[in-house]
Every structure is written in C-alpha cells, then in structure tokens.
Amino acid sequence: MASDSMKKGIEKAPHRSLLKALGLSDKEIERPLIGIVNSHNEVVPGHIHLDKIAEAVKRGVLLAGGTPLEFNSIAVCDGIAMNHTGMKYSLASREIIADSIEIMARAHAFDALVFIPNCDKVVPGMLMAAARLNLPSIFVSGGPMLAGKFKGKRVSLSNMFEYVGAVKGGRMSMEDLKEAEETACPGCGSCSGMFTANSMNCLTEVLGMGLPGNGTIPAVDARRIRLAKEAGIKVMELLEKGITALDIMTETAFQNAMIVDMALGCSTNTVLHLPAIAREAAVDLDLQKFDKASQNAPQLCKLAPAGEHYMEDLDAAGGIGAVMAELAKKGLINKDAITVTAATVGQNIENKEILDKEIIRPADEPYSVDGGLAILWGNLAPDGAVVKKGAVKESMMQHEGPARVFDSEEDAVEAILNNKIVAGDVVVIRYEGPKGGPGMREMLTPTAAVAGMGLDDKVALITDGRFSGATRGASIGHVSPEAAAGGPMALVQEGDIIEIDIPARKLQIKVSDAELEERKSKWQKPEPKVTKGYLAKYAKLVSSASSGAVIK
C-alpha cells in the first residue's frame, strides 16, 4: 500500500505518533488510508450540504475496512461570482484545485481517494487531479438542485439573470422580480439545468469515474446519501483490484464522454474542461474531435436553458444510463470501457431504458440529428469557437450583422441594458480570454440580458471569453486566438459585418485579408489588467481556450 511509506517500520514511529495525535488507533493506522477530498463550504449552494455527503462516504469506507481521512478543496460559486471581479477567479481556480489535491495526496501517501465535488470548476479540477495522481479513485457529487417555482412555472438561476433584462426592458415589474428571487433557487445542489456543473457531473458518470446516478440524483434525495455510502465501499474494491484512475479515463472513455456531451446538449464549458482532463491522462482531445462527435451524435435531450426540462426530469426519465443505452443502439457508445463499478459500461447500462420519451428522445426521433454543441471556424476564429447549438433559435442559426465592439463585459452589459443594442447587431466582447481577462470570465449577464429583453432571436454575441452553461441564444464563445494574443478579435471595428453560419460551422468577418493585415500592423498589445497576485501569474502561463486553457 502507498501509505506503508509513511507508517511501516521502526523509522516511521514519529509518523505513527502524529497519526495517533489524530485519535487513530493502531488498527485504524494498519488499514488502507483513504483520502476524502471534500469541497464543502458555507458559501456555495451546491456545496453547503457536502459535509453530509462526506459523512456517508466515510461510513462506506469504514464498512469496507478502510480508514477515511478528510481534507478540503476550495470552490467558487459561478453565480455569485458573476459579472464582477470575482468571475476572473472561477476558471483559474480549476488549476489551484488540481494542484492542492496533488499536494495533499502525495504529501500524506493516501492509498485511494474519494472525490466530492459539485460545482463548475471543482469537478474538472478534481478529475485533473485524479488523472495526475493515478490512484484508485471514485467521484460522488452533491447532486443537482431542484427547480424553483414562480407563478406556476418551474424556473432556475438562468431565469433570474434573464428577469433582470426583462425589468430593464419594461417587460417585468420589480415586485415580480423580488418574488422570483425568493423561489428560483429552492435549496442545496448544483443549479437545476444542464449548466456547467451538471454537465460535468453527468460526464463524470460517462467517463466511468462516478457511479450510475452520480450526475442526476437530486441533492435532497435520500438516494444521494446511499450513493455516497456505496462510493465509500466501492473505492475499497477498486483498491483491492488495483483499478486506478487511468485504467478508467482512457481515450475510449473520453470518446464516450464527447458523444454523450452532444446528446445531452451540455455546456460549452465542457469543451474547455474535457481537453484539460484528457491532457492529464495523456489523451489528445482537440476541437476537431469535438466537431466530429457533434456530427455523429444526435441530440436526445433539451434541458434548461435549451428547453423546459430540468435535471430532476432527466433523472426520472432514466438518467445518464438510459441516454447511453439509447446511443449504444446506434453503435455510438463503446461498451467495453471499465468503470468505477469494476464492471464495464455495457454491464452498467444493460437493463437501462428510457422511461419518458419527452425528456429523453429515442435516437430515431432526436431533437436534432447532430449534437448540442458546434465548433465554428473562419477568419474570425482560425483556431475555433464554440456555441451551444441546441439552445439557439432556428432564426439565428444563420445571421449576418454589424459588429458592436466592446473591450470588456461591463461595457457590453451597460449598452445592452440601456437599449443601445438593436435587432440585427452582433455584440463583440473581447479582451476577456484566458490571458486577456485574465481568467476567461463566464458571461451570463449579457446573454441573459439580451434574452430577457426579448432579443435572443435577433442579436448574436461573440467573445474570446466564455459563456455560462445557463446561456442560451446565438452566443459564441472561446474564439481563438484571443484578442490579447493578437487574434482577429482584436482587429474587429465597429460596424464590420460578421457572418455566422452554425450549420456550416462558419464564423467570418467580412473584411479582406489585406485590410486585416493592415490593422494587425497597427495593433498594440494592451497593458495587462492585473499585475500582481495569482491572476498575474495565471495570465502569463495559461494556454489558449482552444487547448483547454491549461497551465503550461
């Protein structure tokens, strides 16, 4: 066992004395030491209850003969961090999470790990750490929040952002906004639509790193506690059988994840996170592979913000297992991949079926014959851009309009909320990429404001930053290379005509190559927005969004 290096032999008597200072007995020290990696805190709604999940996990480990030892990681709430300086730290926190877990796990020689994430950057950060450490590992998330209720309609956090635009546009009263504020987020869990947190928790299950149900069982459901206990038991089985994270996170597993990503209509942020995780697993995932998956996989689900269904509905309709079983009928899922159940994907989904064909469409009757995400290329995005195609209205699949150029999210939001954006415009928000932001802020506020003002079928948004998983409409993000690196986004001028053709995967600026070269010769790199602290270091080291915005 790995922990023998710090607890066996006469020379480790000092180490054992410190373990005994924790209150551990000789028998507990002799057992496998299982690290419980918990992102619980009292700030994030998705994490407020993770102390209960951790207690259940520890019971499972104890039942199976291990000694659980808990430590914590940080977690940022993207919703609370939205539209202010705090959002610069969200994506950047992913690297800190991975690094800090590596430090704790290596410094204390754990034999195996149970990871307890829930929200946006925590899931991929922990998966990156799991791949890097390559120990027997299992994930159990805190589960999704239930949908809220407002005036007889189910709602979520994304509606709240849109309601701000509705009030500004005179389409909603302040009294109604206050009423919605009270009920939109009814309790603990990751926000209730197919936003980034739930996308990544579902894909953790697809990758094979979470037990069946990991992505969809609601946070408040007693099944979630039972799942946590089972995860604690299962990690001991993985340890006994010598099944490690990289035995599970193979190229095949990532291929399955991309296919299900497209079928579910997941967040555009998965195109940042899956490549970053894959890099730690020595698997190459580029944007061409995502585009190929998009063209092969039908979209079977339309969950909020793309539709009126929520995570609790997906769970009741059969969950991720039913989605994978349906895709497997078309030969789109590799059923031989091993998972944390110590069985294969095929064995896990053998008896799974769709229980509600309105929530999960049959593969022969999909919402779309291709996937929920699309990768776009062109002279505005030579290295690619991404859009949540499944949440774009048909009228905006092809759009051409004048650029309205803003050098920050704040400037764009001010213009939108003050009625300075009109039908047909293409809002360009630049210098918000991984380096330029720095931190590649998630921009739900401008997209939700556009939707709330009734312009989501008339106005497009393009950024070298990123959009929230809760974003809907023709919102194209991750444009690479970013403006701060001298990419074409830096050369766009007010009034330039931009052409968007999502079915053809095109994003073009209707300016000649010669004119762009002339503009490039006059472009001057802007001074960094942050010059000290963690973000300054991050900006110097982070790669392009097209390669997952990883630290190199």
Side-chain angles (χ1 to χ4, degrees):
M1 292 191 297
S3 62
D4 286 351
S5 64
M6 70 169 184
K7 68 185 186 184
K8 283 284 183 76
I10 188 170
E11 71 279 7
K12 296 303 190 295
H15 305 64
R16 291 192 295 273
S17 71
L18 288 167
L19 291 172
K20 288 180 178 181
L22 301 175
L24 296 182
S25 66
D26 284 330
K27 189 170 185 180
E28 287 173 305
I29 293 170
E30 289 166 6
R31 291 176 174 180
L33 301 183
I34 311 301
I36 312 300
V37 191
N38 190 1
S39 54
H40 168 259
N41 64 43
E42 295 183 347
V43 181
V44 185
H47 295 236
I48 188 69
H49 64 305
L50 297 188
D51 54 340
K52 305 297 190 299
I53 300 294
E55 286 304 315
V57 167
K58 286 187 273 190
R59 287 191 181 205
V61 170
L62 290 167
L63 282 168
T67 297
L69 295 170
E70 181 181 349
F71 63 92
N72 290 88
S73 76
I74 61 170
V76 170
C77 177
D78 278 26
I80 295 173
M82 196 74 66
N83 195 32
H84 61 88
T85 300
M87 182 47 76
K88 293 179 183 288
Y89 289 87
S90 175
L91 179 61
S93 74
R94 187 186 70 183
E95 315 306 315
I96 292 287
I97 290 164
D99 291 349
S100 62
I101 293 167
E102 175 194 355
I103 290 167
M104 287 295 290
R106 291 295 188 216
H108 302 106
F110 287 111
D111 296 302
L113 298 168
V114 182
F115 293 86
I116 308 174
N118 214 23
C119 290
D120 297 45
K121 308 311 159 301
V122 186
V123 186
M126 287 189 177
L127 283 165
M128 290 164 68
R132 191 182 301 172
L133 292 162
N134 196 27
L135 293 167
S137 301
I138 192 168
F139 280 64
V140 56
S141 77
M145 186 185 292
L146 296 177
K149 299 279 178 63
F150 172 62
K151 291 190 178 298
K153 178 185 176 183
R154 292 194 300 167
V155 295
S156 71
L157 179 68
S158 63
N159 297 100
M160 287 305 305
F161 280 91
E162 292 181 9
Y163 291 160
V164 173
V167 170
K168 287 284 188 177
R171 303 168 71 232
M172 186 178 191
S173 69
M174 280 297 297
E175 291 75 19
D176 280 350
L177 180 66
K178 176 64 176 175
E179 182 182 337
E181 182 184 318
E182 296 290 335
T183 58
C185 298
C188 65
S190 47
C191 296
S192 56
M194 189 53 81
F195 312 148
T196 306
N198 290 324
S199 295
M200 291 309 304
N201 283 324
C202 288
L203 296 184
T204 298
E205 186 176 332
V206 180
L207 279 171
M209 291 299 292
L211 293 169
N214 178 73
T216 61
I217 296 173
V220 295
D221 196 313
R223 288 178 296 153
R224 178 63 56 179
I225 297 298
R226 297 199 295 273
L227 190 76
K229 289 178 185 174
E230 182 63 22
I233 293 168
K234 272 293 176 184
V235 79
M236 297 301 295
E237 182 181 348
L238 295 173
L239 177 60
E240 181 185 351
K241 293 181 175 179
I243 299 173
T244 67
L246 293 186
D247 293 326
I248 296 169
M249 284 194 278
T250 62
E251 186 171 1
T252 296
F254 283 100
Q255 183 63 38
N256 283 344
M258 286 189 291
I259 291 292
V260 177
D261 188 350
M262 301 305 163
L264 291 174
C266 286
S267 165
T268 53
N269 287 312
T270 60
V271 182
L272 282 176
H273 297 320
L274 285 177
I277 300 160
R279 179 172 176 265
E280 297 287 353
V283 173
D284 179 40
L285 283 194
D286 57 28
L287 294 186
Q288 284 79 13
K289 290 179 180 177
F290 275 93
D291 196 46
K292 183 178 179 181
S294 178
Q295 294 182 34
N296 289 338
Q299 185 173 358
L300 306 184
C301 301
K302 276 209 172 185
L303 290 97
E308 300 299 319
H309 304 145
Y310 292 86
M311 294 304 297
E312 61 205 76
D313 303 318
L314 179 59
D315 185 62
I320 300 306
V323 173
M324 294 182 74
E326 189 64 21
L327 293 167
K329 293 176 183 177
K330 296 292 184 182
L332 294 170
I333 294 294
N334 187 311
K335 297 193 288 186
D336 294 329
I338 194 72
T339 76
V340 290
T341 64
T344 64
V345 166
Q347 291 170 311
N348 291 345
I349 66 174
E350 187 173 0
N351 297 312
K352 300 295 183 181
E353 59 182 26
I354 299 172
L355 303 179
D356 187 331
K357 294 182 180 179
E358 286 299 310
I359 312 299
I360 305 172
R361 290 273 186 93
D364 291 330
E365 302 173 38
Y367 283 102
S368 171
V369 294
D370 55 357
L373 300 180
I375 309 299
L376 311 184
W377 282 277
N379 66 353
L380 191 54
D383 293 342
V386 62
V387 62
K388 192 168 186 174
K389 179 180 72 67
V392 179
K393 290 185 177 179
E394 190 62 36
S395 61
M396 290 299 290
M397 287 292 182
Q398 294 173 306
H399 181 77
E400 191 172 294
R404 303 297 310 281
V405 183
F406 303 93
D407 288 349
S408 72
E409 177 188 2
E410 288 83 358
D411 290 347
V413 170
E414 181 184 6
I416 293 165
L417 293 180
N418 285 290
N419 298 301
K420 295 178 181 178
I421 302 301
V422 300
D425 284 348
V426 178
V427 177
V428 175
I429 310 174
R430 64 189 179 190
Y431 297 108
E432 290 286 4
K435 289 182 178 294
M440 202 179 185
R441 284 192 288 182
E442 193 171 88
M443 289 184 278
L444 177 56
T445 298
T447 60
V450 165
M453 297 179 81
L455 293 172
D456 59 309
D457 60 347
K458 303 176 183 69
V459 169
L461 295 96
I462 299 175
T463 184
D464 54 5
R466 62 196 179 92
F467 293 118
S468 167
T471 288
R472 61 187 174 97
S475 302
I476 299 164
H478 308 194
V479 176
S480 299
E482 63 176 290
M489 283 284 282
L491 311 178
V492 181
Q493 294 181 1
E494 188 82 5
D496 285 345
I497 300 301
I498 292 177
E499 177 191 5
I500 300 164
D501 191 334
I502 295 173
R505 306 300 201 258
K506 287 174 61 177
L507 181 61
Q508 294 278 126
I509 178 172
K510 290 198 163 183
V511 174
S512 70
D513 291 346
E515 172 65 17
L516 288 175
E517 282 299 321
E518 175 68 16
R519 293 181 188 180
K520 182 69 180 285
S521 69
K522 297 176 181 177
W523 176 77
Q524 292 185 332
K525 187 175 182 178
E527 290 296 315
K529 295 176 184 176
V530 180
T531 58
K532 61 182 180 180
Y534 174 61
L535 283 179
K537 290 185 286 186
Y538 179 85
K540 289 179 181 178
L541 298 172
V542 69
S543 74
S544 168
S546 61
S547 58
V550 296
I551 295 295
K552 290 188 176 179

